[in-house]
């Protein structure tokens, strides 16, 4: 298709599992750069650059002209779902999406804790789970509804003394002081499905942490805390079936964060300091490097049968639960899974995460599929053009009505 109209604005794409948000933007940018739909945008940008002074041109690190992209809240490689993308002048509106509520569906697997609070980390400890029931978890969820205080994970991009928390973790250094809890709000939370042992294929990570950072895990990750629900009836032991808690080690993690980073980004730069960002942190818009990343996805493998070494079988493996929640900016789903595990007298890690809705964008309604970008331009271009036009029409309508640029909360 050919057009002389400069198309730009905001649309949403369904991010697949096992790739970072940054990689999604690179793939989108590659498709847009080669398309007829965005040729007028590129021509216009080229014309503007020819009018720049020599000093302005010399300051540009990237001399190549690419379609300008950004996103309004990053998702971790483990996560899937709504990734809001700004194109051209649309990137200036991404900040408005950082403070809006989001809806997630998450799966928590009980009985283990990791340094990253999810299945991508190293196992720090194990805890009893035979006592867990749907009713017990339902009751525990009450503590996490409404306005609560939540401690962000160590593997997040919040700064402490000018340094991101994940950098301390990767270097194996103790943070200068305790990570403080922050106020967040859960507008709704539902236990959608209870998955007893043997009725799911989720498993703990295979890699166990060493003993090097037990002290760090105890002090920083608060894995040694005792829940009001934990009693001597379910002590932690060293047996994997009895599930001992053993705090442990550092882990290099791809933090493009799933539940953690609400940040507007501009992909044409190469600054490493933002690729991992805290989900829904409410942080201001920053720039994101765009360069290749190696990522080995974690998959939910079927549980093994019990062996002589004491490995778990489906019959005695841990239960899991699927949760649905609508939360405000700053909420960490990984922290919820970790804290919920403690609350029910066990441990917990996040095994899956889907962002089903953000602002006016919702899966199955007005979110484009990532796989469509792999098809011919005449397949995806009309959908992208229509999505950008729809967003711009709503923006103009809100402006004419005197409404703010902020997206409607969910």
């Amino acid at each position: 298709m050919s057009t002389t109209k400069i198309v730009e604005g905001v649309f949403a794409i369904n991010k697949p599992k096992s790739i970072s948000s940054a990689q999604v933007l690179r793939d989108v940018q590659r498709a847009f750069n080669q398309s007829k739909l965005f040729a007028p945008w590129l021509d216009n940008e080229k014309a503007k650059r020819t009018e720049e002074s020599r000093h302005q041109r010399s300051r540009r690190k990237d001399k190549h002209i690419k379609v300008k992209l950004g996103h309004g809240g990053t998702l971790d490689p483990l996560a899937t779902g709504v990734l809001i993308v700004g194109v051209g002048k649309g990137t200036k509106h991404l900040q408005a999406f950082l403070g809006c509520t989001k809806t997630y569906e998450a799966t928590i697997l009980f009985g283990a804790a990791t340094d990253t609070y999810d299945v991508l980390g190293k196992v720090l400890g194990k805890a009893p789970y035979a006592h867990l029931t749907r009713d017990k978890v339902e009751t525990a969820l009450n503590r996490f509804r409404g306005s609560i205080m939540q401690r962000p994970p160590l593997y997040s991009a919040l700064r402490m003394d000018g340094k991101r928390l994940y950098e301390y973790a990767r270097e194996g250094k103790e943070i200068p002081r305790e990570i403080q809890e922050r106020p967040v709000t859960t507008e709704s939370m539902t236990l959608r499905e209870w998955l007893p042992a043997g009725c799911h294929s989720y498993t703990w990570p295979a890699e166990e942490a060493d003993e090097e950072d037990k002290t760090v895990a105890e002090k920083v990750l608060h894995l040694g805390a005792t829940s009001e629900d934990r009693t001597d009836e379910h002590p932690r032991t060293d047996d994997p079936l009895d599930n001992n808690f053993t705090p442990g080690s550092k882990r290099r993690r791809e933090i493009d964060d799933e539940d953690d980073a609400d940040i507007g980004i501009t992909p044409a730069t190469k600054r490493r300091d933002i690729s991992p960002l805290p989900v829904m942190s409410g942080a201001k818009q920053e720039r994101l490097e765009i360069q290749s990343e190696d990522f080995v996805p974690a998959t939910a493998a079927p549980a093994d049968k019990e062996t002589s070494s004491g490995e778990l079988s489906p019959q005695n493996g841990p239960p899991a639960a699927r949760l649905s929640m609508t939360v405000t900016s700053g909420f960490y789903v990984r922290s919820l899974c970790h804290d919920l595990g403690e609350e029910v007298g066990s441990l917990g890690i996040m095994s899956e995460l889907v962002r089903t809705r953000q602002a006016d964008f919702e899966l199955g309604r007005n979110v484009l599929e990532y796989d469509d970008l792999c098809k011919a331009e005449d397949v995806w271009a009309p959908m992208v053009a229509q999505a950008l036009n729809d967003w711009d029409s709503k923006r103009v309508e809100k402006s004419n009505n005197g409404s703010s640029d902020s997206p409607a909360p969910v």
Side-chain angles (χ1 to χ4, degrees):
M1 63 178 292
S2 61
T3 179
T4 57
K5 180 182 178 181
I6 296 177
V7 291
E8 48 193 352
V10 176
F11 72 99
I13 191 168
N14 186 3
K15 189 192 90 65
K17 192 174 183 178
S18 302
I19 65 174
S20 68
S21 299
Q23 184 60 53
V24 172
L25 286 187
R26 283 190 287 270
D27 295 342
V28 172
Q29 189 180 61
R30 186 180 303 111
F32 286 5
N33 287 341
Q34 301 170 355
S35 70
K36 296 179 181 178
L37 177 65
F38 289 97
W41 190 96
L42 292 167
D43 290 341
N44 183 64
E45 183 67 15
K46 183 177 181 180
K48 289 194 296 185
R49 292 194 183 187
T50 59
E51 298 175 0
E52 291 179 343
S53 67
R54 181 180 299 178
H55 175 66
Q56 287 176 313
R57 289 195 298 270
S58 65
R59 292 181 60 187
R60 289 187 179 276
K61 294 181 180 180
D62 190 351
K63 308 299 182 182
H64 300 286
I65 299 177
K66 303 173 184 178
V67 176
K68 184 180 181 182
L69 297 179
H71 65 59
T74 188
L75 285 169
D76 187 81
L78 174 65
T80 65
V82 179
L83 182 68
I84 293 178
V85 180
V87 183
K89 293 181 180 179
T91 57
K92 297 180 180 180
H93 298 270
L94 293 176
Q95 186 72 27
F97 290 94
L98 303 187
C100 67
T101 56
K102 288 103 175 160
T103 300
Y104 293 95
E105 291 187 1
T107 301
I108 175 175
L109 180 65
F110 293 101
T114 66
D115 50 0
T116 61
Y117 291 4
D118 62 21
V119 294
L120 300 184
K122 293 180 180 179
V123 175
L124 297 174
K126 298 171 185 176
Y129 50 77
H131 63 289
L132 298 181
T133 63
R134 179 178 186 130
D135 287 344
K136 188 175 184 66
V137 174
E138 282 273 22
T139 300
L141 286 178
N142 289 328
R143 192 179 81 78
F144 302 97
R145 294 186 173 105
S147 298
I148 64 172
M149 298 297 292
Q150 186 186 70
R151 193 184 311 276
L154 176 60
Y155 275 83
S156 64
L158 296 178
R159 292 184 182 274
M160 184 175 289
D161 293 350
K163 189 173 184 177
R164 296 190 185 277
L165 291 178
Y166 70 84
E167 293 176 338
Y168 288 104
R170 288 177 174 176
E171 296 169 6
K173 295 180 179 179
E174 189 170 340
I175 59 176
R177 57 190 174 276
E178 183 179 58
I179 301 173
Q180 297 299 307
E181 294 182 333
R182 307 187 309 171
V184 293
T185 300
T186 305
E187 296 189 353
S188 66
M189 182 176 294
T190 305
L191 200 168
R192 294 176 58 88
E193 187 176 8
W194 177 250
L195 302 170
C199 296
H200 64 83
S201 60
Y202 301 105
T203 59
W204 300 330
E207 188 173 6
E208 298 273 345
D210 57 35
E211 300 295 318
E212 180 182 357
D213 292 325
K214 286 185 179 181
T215 302
V216 173
E218 251 179 356
K219 291 182 178 180
V220 177
L221 302 183
H222 294 266
L223 292 177
T226 301
S227 167
E228 295 178 357
D229 290 331
R230 184 175 297 116
T231 67
D232 292 338
E233 184 181 353
H234 307 294
R236 287 169 172 161
T237 69
D238 288 323
D239 185 273
L241 297 182
D242 204 18
N243 303 358
N244 176 49
F245 160 77
T246 310
S249 150
K250 59 181 177 288
R251 168 76 163 173
R252 181 175 179 87
R253 180 181 186 275
E254 294 290 342
I255 310 179
D256 195 34
D257 266 321
E258 94 279 2
D259 56 337
D260 309 80
D262 274 4
I263 212 74
I265 53 113
T266 310
T269 63
K270 294 187 178 181
R271 289 172 54 184
R272 187 64 193 169
D273 61 342
I274 121 87
S275 66
L277 287 165
V279 138
M280 305 179 68
S281 64
K284 65 180 181 179
Q285 182 171 341
E286 298 185 42
R287 292 183 178 272
L288 169 71
E289 57 147 0
I290 290 295
Q291 61 183 26
S292 297
E293 296 177 6
D294 295 324
F295 173 70
V296 180
T299 57
D304 295 329
K305 295 182 179 180
E306 186 174 0
T307 67
S308 58
S309 63
E311 293 179 356
L312 299 179
S313 70
Q315 288 70 35
N316 57 21
R322 290 199 176 100
L323 309 176
S324 178
M325 68 202 78
T326 297
V327 296
T328 59
S329 179
F331 191 96
Y332 288 79
V333 181
R334 285 183 291 129
S335 288
L336 167 72
C337 294
H338 174 81
D339 296 343
L340 179 59
E342 290 271 358
E343 184 71 12
V344 295
S346 183
L347 293 170
I349 55 176
M350 190 183 75
S351 294
E352 280 189 346
L353 182 71
V354 182
R355 183 191 285 164
T356 60
R357 186 167 184 170
Q358 182 174 357
D360 296 327
F361 294 102
E362 184 176 13
L363 289 181
R365 188 169 65 88
N366 57 354
V367 177
L368 304 183
E369 293 299 322
Y370 172 85
D371 289 344
D372 287 335
L373 290 174
C374 300
K375 301 175 183 178
E377 182 183 350
D378 59 0
V379 174
W380 61 258
M383 294 186 288
V384 171
Q386 184 64 51
L388 294 174
N389 182 70
D390 290 345
W391 174 84
D392 190 58
S393 297
K394 290 181 180 179
R395 181 188 65 81
V396 172
E397 181 180 354
K398 288 180 180 180
S399 178
N400 292 338
N401 293 335
S403 303
S404 67
D405 184 50
S406 300
V410 177

